[in-house]
Amino acid sequence: MKKKLIRPISLFAFSCVVSIGTLLLYNIPFFRYVAANTNEDAGGKMLLLASLLVIMLVLNFMMTYLVMFVLRAVGRALLAVLSVINATAVYFIYTYNVIIDATTIENVFNTRYSEASGFFSWSLWLFILACGVVPALFCLLQPVVRGKARRLGLVCGGSLAAVLAVGALNIGQTLWISQHDTELGGLLQPWSYLVNTGRVMSFSQDEQAEEIKLPDGKITDREKTVVVLVIGESARKANFQLYGYARDTNPLLSKRAGLKVYQATSCATYTTAGTKAILEPQDSGDLYELLPNYAYRTGVDVSWRTSNWGEPPIHVPEYLTNEELGEQYPGENVYYDAILQKGLRQRIESSQKDKVLIVLHTSTSHGPKYANKYPKEFEVYRPVAQNVEEGEKNVGRLVNAYDNTIRYTDYLLDSLITTLRSMSEWHSAMIFISDHGESLGENKMFMHGLPMKLAPKVQYEIPFLVWVSDGFRDYKPEQDLPAVLEQHYIFHSVLNLLSIQSPAYNAAYDIFKLRDAGGR
């Protein structure tokens, strides 16, 4: 009996056992999610599930075969460790209904032992023992006959061919997978924590990366000035009444005197690159010193308030999330972007500096659940789709939900202007620009993120709205500006508003006249 238990098996058989075990022990939540969220009929659902099952089995088989063949004892140890981590991850998925995304991994890295120990329980240890340690012992102790290198090539080549063939049969599922990539990736073991750990480490390196410092600037006057830059999320120009949309999505701003409306495009179709373009002085793949960082170093009082994520490295002392603002203002709903404006007037008026820059990084029109982004009193257009998946079947309902987010944005911006306008002792300005646009079913496309060369115009045509207090700054004549502006106009226009004299300033990318050319 003992000899049978330790009898060597081929690497092919070993890899099959590990692959099947990984599927059955750690990836049932993945397939449950697919089954519950796909919009396919019964036949289409079975095809999708079967295809994903084949792809998962083949990929895990190939990786196990490769790791064991190349790394040998180290490969065994790696598979054993992954088994224990897989079990831990899937326990938390089952017990706490979490997904193992980048945020979860970052929280793990930032959690102290005293906090983590609160999760320890006998059920956790028993689950890890049964589903983690036992498979790990199999990986460590089972004798394996590796075979020849030629067989490795045949196995890897055949596996890749099978994956590509099955993937080609499901090319029509690309949109659905892209819409659910966070959830799917967060439930797929061991790839969820491996990939997202790499992402978190990359983010950490970016945050610690040395920016290319801009030449020193200086503030040239002592006038009390506040600029509020509002970075919109997924707000597309096409659905703004101010740009000719038939619906009354801007009932307040359309009546706001002094509001300037510019034609503009984004430099990308996803948040990180779009936000970077808004904050950097020029279009570049390099990491130049960003607007809030540069303004702070020059002597401006800077506050960054966000309900979003994905921005490039922001190095200012006051960086407040919506959750942190919610702690300061109990009773406020932290899931609506009005929280970002809470206490804003008091924050500005209490500043010890003459120049204040407030950046509000919103998430108001972020999909796929547009209907969750605004209070119910702003649900003017009905009925609404609760998410993009539902909206695929009824685009009109999806557009209703999205248009309600634009009406809420209209309210937020108008309220902000009202607050600034009442501060008579301050020169003030409000600038709203979106990071990118959004697809709402045109050509069966949804949300955003396509490469710029392939993206439809609704994913990069964005709103660019500006308001300044009376007597503060004059706008350049339209003939002195391009017909369509880009996001880099923000950096240089804000330097003008804050009276920052700098070699980094480019007047060609400023929407305002210089009040005192000799002083600049």
Side-chain angles (χ1 to χ4, degrees):
M1 183 70 178
K2 182 177 180 181
K3 292 184 178 179
K4 290 184 179 180
L5 289 176
I6 61 172
R7 186 175 59 185
I9 61 176
S10 69
L11 181 53
F12 186 95
F14 178 88
S15 300
C16 286
V17 172
V18 172
S19 180
I20 294 171
T22 300
L23 173 71
L24 296 177
L25 292 176
Y26 313 126
N27 284 292
I28 298 302
F30 174 88
F31 286 96
R32 284 181 177 175
Y33 182 88
V34 174
N37 289 277
T38 179
N39 293 325
E40 297 291 330
D41 57 21
K45 181 183 293 187
M46 291 302 297
L47 175 61
L48 177 61
L49 287 170
S51 298
L52 290 174
L53 185 146
V54 170
I55 290 173
M56 181 182 295
L57 284 173
V58 172
L59 282 179
N60 283 336
F61 166 82
M62 182 182 71
M63 294 308 299
T64 302
Y65 199 105
L66 187 63
V67 165
M68 284 290 291
F69 191 94
V70 174
L71 299 181
R72 304 189 183 189
V74 174
R76 286 181 178 277
L78 178 60
L79 291 174
V81 170
L82 291 180
S83 296
V84 174
I85 300 176
N86 285 341
T88 306
V90 79
Y91 174 86
F92 279 89
I93 290 173
Y94 280 130
T95 306
Y96 298 102
N97 197 31
V98 301
I99 60 173
I100 313 300
D101 60 359
T103 300
T104 303
I105 296 298
E106 191 170 17
N107 289 337
V108 170
F109 288 158
N110 293 330
T111 300
R112 297 178 180 177
Y113 175 81
S114 59
E115 298 171 333
S117 60
F119 293 105
F120 297 163
S121 65
W122 282 110
S123 60
L124 169 63
W125 299 127
L126 289 174
F127 191 91
I128 292 176
L129 177 63
C131 297
V133 174
V134 172
L137 290 175
F138 171 80
C139 293
L140 290 172
L141 301 178
Q142 174 61 54
V144 174
V145 178
R146 289 193 307 127
K148 298 180 179 181
R150 180 182 177 184
R151 188 172 181 83
L152 173 66
L154 292 174
V155 166
C156 291
S159 298
L160 289 174
V163 169
L164 291 174
V166 176
L169 292 175
N170 291 269
I171 192 68
Q173 297 292 344
T174 302
L175 172 61
W176 184 86
I177 292 173
S178 67
Q179 291 171 351
H180 295 263
D181 56 354
T182 299
E183 293 84 356
L184 294 173
L187 295 173
L188 187 61
Q189 312 308 328
W191 311 105
S192 62
Y193 55 85
L194 292 177
V195 172
N196 284 304
T197 297
R199 291 178 63 197
V200 169
M201 294 175 66
S202 176
F203 295 158
S204 178
Q205 289 178 352
D206 287 344
E207 291 174 356
Q208 297 172 13
E210 187 68 26
E211 296 175 321
I212 300 174
K213 295 293 185 183
L214 299 175
D216 291 346
K218 66 178 180 179
I219 298 171
T220 60
D221 64 47
R222 298 293 303 276
E223 295 180 343
K224 298 179 76 65
T225 303
V226 57
V227 177
V228 182
L229 170 60
V230 184
I231 301 176
E233 169 62 53
S234 303
R236 70 184 209 172
K237 182 189 79 172
N239 290 56
F240 274 65
Q241 177 189 355
L242 293 167
Y243 288 94
Y245 188 47
R247 276 184 165 176
D248 188 23
T249 53
N250 302 125
L252 301 174
L253 291 178
S254 62
K255 299 179 179 65
R256 173 64 69 174
L259 185 72
K260 193 74 171 177
V261 180
Y262 289 102
Q263 302 290 334
T265 58
S266 65
C267 297
T269 64
Y270 60 99
T271 296
T272 301
T275 305
K276 178 175 179 286
I278 291 171
L279 301 176
E280 66 183 356
Q282 63 189 51
D283 189 12
S284 172
D286 295 321
L287 182 61
Y288 281 95
E289 194 170 12
L290 302 173
L291 175 62
N293 306 340
Y294 184 60
Y296 173 73
R297 184 165 69 86
T298 306
V300 177
D301 181 7
V302 180
S303 176
W304 183 284
R305 296 180 168 204
T306 181
S307 62
N308 210 326
W309 58 89
E311 68 269 357
I314 305 299
H315 304 305
V316 297
E318 187 171 293
Y319 182 103
L320 296 170
T321 66
N322 53 324
E323 289 88 356
E324 290 169 329
L325 287 166
E327 293 176 0
Q328 294 184 21
Y329 302 99
E332 295 293 324
N333 191 319
V334 299
Y335 299 107
Y336 301 139
D337 279 334
I339 188 68
L340 302 182
Q341 297 185 31
K342 193 67 179 176
L344 198 58
R345 177 172 186 151
Q346 295 88 336
R347 168 63 181 84
I348 296 167
E349 292 182 334
S350 65
S351 177
Q352 301 300 306
K353 295 188 176 181
D354 298 319
K355 307 295 180 184
V356 178
L357 172 63
I358 308 289
V359 183
L360 308 181
H361 190 195
T362 68
S363 62
T364 313
S365 296
H366 195 291
K369 297 181 179 181
Y370 305 113
N372 291 352
K373 292 296 184 176
Y374 53 82
K376 288 305 176 184
E377 58 265 31
F378 290 90
E379 194 165 274
V380 176
Y381 305 111
R382 299 172 179 166
V384 300
Q386 295 302 311
N387 51 50
V388 170
E389 292 76 17
E390 182 181 331
E392 288 183 58
K393 299 178 181 178
N394 193 321
V395 172
R397 294 187 177 190
L398 186 71
V399 173
N400 284 346
Y402 183 85
D403 284 351
N404 290 330
T405 72
I406 304 302
R407 281 188 71 106
Y408 186 47
T409 297
D410 177 77
Y411 162 77
L412 294 175
L413 296 180
D414 187 74
S415 299
L416 177 56
I417 293 173
T418 297
T419 298
L420 295 176
R421 193 169 183 270
S422 68
M423 298 169 57
S424 57
E425 295 183 359
W426 289 74
H427 289 310
S428 57
M430 186 283 299
I431 300 176
F432 173 81
I433 190 167
S434 187
D435 56 355
H436 52 75
E438 191 85 336
S439 285
L440 296 173
E442 298 87 0
N443 298 319
K444 296 184 179 180
M445 295 182 183
F446 295 87
M447 298 183 67
H448 55 268
L450 285 176
M452 285 294 288
K453 291 182 179 180
L454 302 176
K457 64 181 182 179
V458 290
Q459 289 194 25
Y460 58 78
E461 288 189 345
I462 56 174
F464 184 175
L465 312 177
V466 184
W467 175 90
V468 295
S469 58
D470 294 339
F472 181 23
R473 287 287 191 272
D474 294 324
Y475 296 102
K476 284 181 180 177
E478 291 184 5
Q479 59 267 27
D480 293 344
L481 293 171
V484 180
L485 307 184
E486 60 182 65
Q487 291 168 316
H488 298 104
Y489 275 77
I490 298 299
F491 183 94
H492 305 280
S493 299
V494 171
L495 290 192
N496 184 341
L497 291 170
L498 294 173
S499 301
I500 295 177
Q501 179 180 343
S502 169
Y505 170 77
N506 186 342
Y509 284 83
D510 188 353
I511 64 173
F512 300 104
K513 294 179 180 179
L514 292 178
R515 187 180 55 177
D516 180 7
R520 297 283 292 189

